[in-house]
Amino acid sequence: MTASFPNTAPPILAVENLRTTFRTERGPLTAVDGVTFSLGEGRALGVVGESGCGKSVLCRTLLGLLPPTARVDPAARVRFYGKDLLGGGASALRRLRGREISMILQNPMSSLNPVMTVGAQAAEPLRVHTGMSRKRAWKRAVSLLAAVGIPRAEERMKQYPHHFSGGMRQRVAIAMALACGPRLLLADEPTTALDVTVQAEILDLLAVQRRTRRMALILVSHDLGVVAGRTDEVAVMYAGKIVEHAPTPALFANPRMPYSRALLESIPVLDNAPHTRLRAIGGSPPDGLELPYGCRFAPRCSRVQPRCLQDEPGLDFEGAAPHGFACWNPFPLLSAGRQGRNGPSEWRRT
C-alpha cells in the first residue's frame, strides 16, 4: 500500500501526488512524478539522489519558482499549515515565500545580485515582508550576518558578493533565508563547490539555526554522507520518484532498495586500504523522455527480475517505524546483530 511517511509531530507540510512536467521540443518531460510525503515541525528531511533525479525541481515546485514551460498536475496537493500552496494563487504564494518558507539555492554567486551590496540584499527581505524601516532593517541584517559567523559584519555589509569567498557567500545566503524567521527552510545542495571543512561549518550552522528556531528543514543533496546525522528521515529519489523513505538511522543501517544501497556503497570509506577501487553505479539514469517500462532502476540493478522489467513498484511501507521502498526484490531486513554499517555516524561528512 502506497502511503506518505508518518511523522510523530503534526505535519506542517503535506505533499500528495506532486507531478511537475516540462514542455520540450521532444515532448513532455516529467521531472517530479507522483511524490508524496509530509514533514513535521522542527524535523529535518534529507532528499538525496543523483543529479537530474528531480530534487531541485521538487523544491522549486513547492515555492512556485518554475519557468513558463512547467506544468504542475492539478490533482497534486501541497498544504503548508493547511494552506493550499498550489491553488492559492501567485500573490498568496509570494506572501509566504521568504517569510514563512525560504530557500537556499545551490550557487550563492548566482543567487546573490553582483551589483548590490551584501547589506542591501540582506536587509531587503526584512523591508519587503515585515515593513521595517531602512535603518532598523540594516541593524537587523548586521546581527543576522554576525549570527551566521561573518566577522566584522557591519563593515562587510558595505561590500559586494565578489569580495566574499564561496563559504562566506553561502553564509550570506543563509542569513537572507533566515531573516524573517521562516517555519520551513529548503536548502538545495547548500554545500556545493565548497571544500570539506567549509561544508561541515555550513551544515553545523544550519543544524544550530534549526534547533534554535524550531524550524523544519528539507536538505537536498546528491551525497548521502551530507545528510547522515543531520536529518531525521531520508527520501531517496530516482528518475522523479521517491524510491525509498525511512528514518535516517534505519536507512543507513539497512537500505532495502538496491539504488539506495548502491549510493551508500559509492561513498569512499576512510578505513579502506590504500588504492582500493571506488565503487560506482553502472550505467546512467534514464532519459526523462524515454523512461523504461517497470522499475526505472531495473536497467542498472544487480537484483533485477522479470517482473521488474514489466511492472512499476509502488512505495510500500512496513514496520513500526515505517520504512518505505519501491522494489519487487528488496534486500532482506537484517537483524541488528547482522547490520554492517549500523548508523549514520559512520557515513557523516565531518
Side-chain angles (χ1 to χ4, degrees):
M1 177 179 178
T2 300
S4 62
F5 188 89
N7 290 313
T8 53
I12 66 169
L13 178 69
V15 179
E16 182 179 349
N17 199 29
L18 186 62
R19 182 172 283 103
T20 305
T21 303
F22 293 89
R23 296 192 310 271
T24 73
E25 294 180 353
R26 294 172 54 200
L29 187 154
T30 303
V32 175
D33 192 359
V35 166
T36 296
F37 68 92
S38 61
L39 184 63
E41 184 179 90
R43 291 181 66 83
L45 167 68
V47 181
V48 300
E50 294 170 286
S51 297
C53 71
K55 307 183 301 295
S56 295
V57 175
L58 170 62
C59 291
R60 290 178 176 273
T61 302
L62 297 178
L63 281 179
L65 300 175
L66 295 171
T69 56
R71 177 183 178 274
V72 180
D73 191 326
R77 295 289 180 268
V78 178
R79 296 191 178 277
F80 178 69
Y81 282 101
K83 300 176 183 176
D84 185 0
L85 295 187
L86 299 180
S91 59
L93 192 53
R94 277 197 298 271
R95 288 192 294 271
L96 286 174
R97 193 166 53 221
R99 185 183 182 105
E100 300 285 338
I101 309 174
S102 288
M103 183 170 178
I104 304 170
L105 300 173
Q106 287 187 30
N107 188 344
M109 196 62 207
S110 62
S111 62
L112 296 175
N113 190 328
V115 298
M116 288 179 63
T117 64
V118 162
Q121 295 182 68
E124 186 177 35
L126 295 165
R127 299 189 63 199
V128 170
H129 292 291
T130 69
M132 281 188 184
S133 66
R134 185 184 299 272
K135 183 176 181 180
R136 188 180 172 193
W138 183 271
K139 288 184 177 180
R140 174 62 177 155
V142 171
S143 65
L144 282 167
L145 292 186
V148 298
I150 294 181
R152 308 189 316 277
E154 188 161 9
E155 175 186 337
R156 306 215 69 181
M157 287 273 286
K158 302 173 184 177
Q159 297 179 331
Y160 291 86
H162 67 270
H163 292 127
F164 289 70
S165 66
M168 286 297 171
R169 286 195 295 266
Q170 195 64 290
R171 289 174 187 269
V172 172
I174 292 172
M176 292 172 61
L178 298 176
C180 298
R183 299 180 182 185
L184 172 62
L185 179 64
L186 311 179
D188 186 6
E189 302 206 33
T191 59
T192 297
L194 301 179
D195 63 60
V196 175
T197 302
V198 178
Q199 279 188 28
E201 292 174 356
I202 294 297
L203 293 169
D204 289 342
L205 172 61
L206 286 175
V208 169
Q209 294 295 327
R210 182 172 71 89
R211 289 193 300 268
T212 302
R213 299 166 181 266
R214 186 73 181 157
M215 177 180 64
L217 172 68
I218 296 179
L219 177 60
V220 173
S221 179
H222 63 274
D223 186 350
L224 276 163
V226 166
V227 304
R230 304 180 188 276
T231 58
D232 300 301
E233 58 201 72
V234 179
V236 181
M237 289 191 71
Y238 186 77
K241 288 183 171 290
I242 292 180
V243 295
E244 187 157 9
H245 193 167
T248 303
L251 186 133
F252 279 84
N254 190 194
R256 306 295 304 281
M257 207 282 181
Y259 177 61
S260 303
R261 179 162 297 198
L263 284 177
L264 279 171
E265 291 177 346
S266 67
I267 299 175
V269 179
L270 293 178
D271 57 4
N272 279 348
H275 308 295
T276 298
R277 184 179 292 275
L278 297 177
R279 302 187 66 171
I281 305 175
S284 301
D287 185 339
L289 295 166
E290 299 178 359
L291 293 171
Y293 288 104
C295 175
R296 298 178 182 184
F297 186 62
R300 308 171 69 189
C301 183
S302 61
R303 297 174 63 84
V304 63
Q305 296 180 337
R307 186 181 184 184
C308 304
L309 302 173
Q310 301 172 1
D311 302 325
E312 186 173 9
L315 185 66
D316 295 334
F317 286 82
E318 67 178 23
H323 188 148
F325 49 90
C327 185
W328 296 124
N329 187 25
F331 283 99
L333 181 63
L334 302 179
S335 64
R338 293 178 58 202
Q339 292 171 5
R341 295 176 173 180
N342 53 9
S345 60
E346 185 169 348
W347 301 99
R348 180 174 176 172
R349 295 293 192 205
T350 54

